[in-house]
Amino acid sequence: MTLKWIGRRIIKLPNFLFACLMLLSLTAYGSFIESTLGTAVVNDATASYFNPAALVLLKNPQFIPQETFAHFHTQFTGRSTLLATNTSESGRSSSNTGVHSPSFYLGVPATSNIVVGLAIVSNAANRNAEENSILRYVQANNTIQDYDVVPALALKINEFLSIGAGVNFSYAKFNAQPIIGFPGSNIADSQSSNKSDGSGLGFNAGFLFKASPTTLLGFNYRSMTTYGLSGTSIYEGNPRVVSNNYHFKLRTPARSVFSINHFFTDKLGLISTIQYIQWSAITQVHVYGVANLLGTQPTILNGSIPYYLRDTWLATLGSHYRITPKWVLRLASTFSQSAGNPHYQIDTGDSIVVGASMGYEINKMITIDGSYAHVLIQNENIAIAGPRYIIQGVNKGSREAVSLKLTFNL
């Protein structure tokens, strides 16, 4: 992690802020079909979150509960050198992140031209870094909880065009537990705890265009959300230091999404989505009131952490096939660029997601869908030359996600 001076005080924080930023931006990512396959043209109540304009496709009130579980695994192989003591450690370091994302969606036609919607989306992520690893000072254990409530409204302009918008009310909680130490010295490692929570506000807006009886075009723009987070930072060393003025602002990137859905026959359709994510607008995070070490002296610090992120593209191509009147199969593949810079963050490379979903209509009122996604992640060559650490090696990762969804037509 690159560090900057504020006055005469320098802060060293692990890269938990970067991890939190990544996770917060992926709200409902694990539901592969909605969040990547046809994001801007989903044809059920999940449109309340993904593109409110598509709510006009509902013919009756609809309620959808959904559960998503995902697992990330990363493994770094290489060398870490602490410049203060010129001590190097070589080997492997792994971390595991579990994500649980329950969500609820509601869509209700108010008139023949107006549909109201509501999305409640939650993400709970817990990252466990390997103890005593060579990256124990730069990769922290953390727990993240994010809750989004999105009321939405869709308006049908005419038989071809609809527009929609939603307001995103967010609340997030963080608990980062970095390890602080000086390998090669007589100073024992110490643990810190940084707990914070806060709210954020954003919006999304889009349109749905019916180009022909068999072709739908959808676009959605989701704004940047800024979270004001505050809490308590505790350094569990000797002496113990407590800061009750720990606070910072965290931003999630804006994204633009465009989808096309075309039916070749009544049974077979092709769908594609392109997303552009504006990571470069997030330049740095200023952190205040951190209980930490200045040299070997426990104290309370302020700091600034630049990110050097790049804007990314995500592209998906897939199809859906109605096997029988009750069964539908969806297959898709997604290419996703990595936003990270391997000269500043321990990140993985670009990835390809392959996924499938199967839906079954139990009766006219209830449909069940299950999806699975596997991510093929490119290895990333890490070469960080910071003022505190030099880290060189290869980082690789894997990800799996499953989702179960129930649709109730009321």
Side-chain angles (χ1 to χ4, degrees), residues 213-265:
T214 58
T215 304
L216 285 174
L217 308 177
F219 174 80
N220 183 250
Y221 173 79
R222 184 169 299 277
S223 73
M224 176 184 289
T225 299
T226 300
Y227 293 81
L229 298 154
S230 61
T232 302
S233 177
I234 301 174
Y235 170 70
E236 299 288 358
N238 186 19
R240 187 173 187 260
V241 179
V242 178
S243 170
N244 293 313
N245 192 34
Y246 171 58
H247 64 280
F248 60 98
K249 289 185 178 180
L250 190 64
R251 294 177 174 87
T252 61
R255 65 173 65 201
S256 301
V257 184
F258 179 72
S259 297
I260 301 176
N261 186 13
H262 176 73
F263 287 89
F264 293 100
T265 68

Side-chain angles (χ1 to χ4, degrees), residues 99-128:
V99 181
H100 174 217
S101 301
S103 56
F104 304 89
Y105 308 91
L106 178 68
V108 179
T111 69
S112 59
N113 295 323
I114 298 175
V115 183
V116 296
L118 177 67
I120 301 175
V121 180
S122 171
N123 285 290
N126 182 30
R127 185 174 79 168
N128 293 306

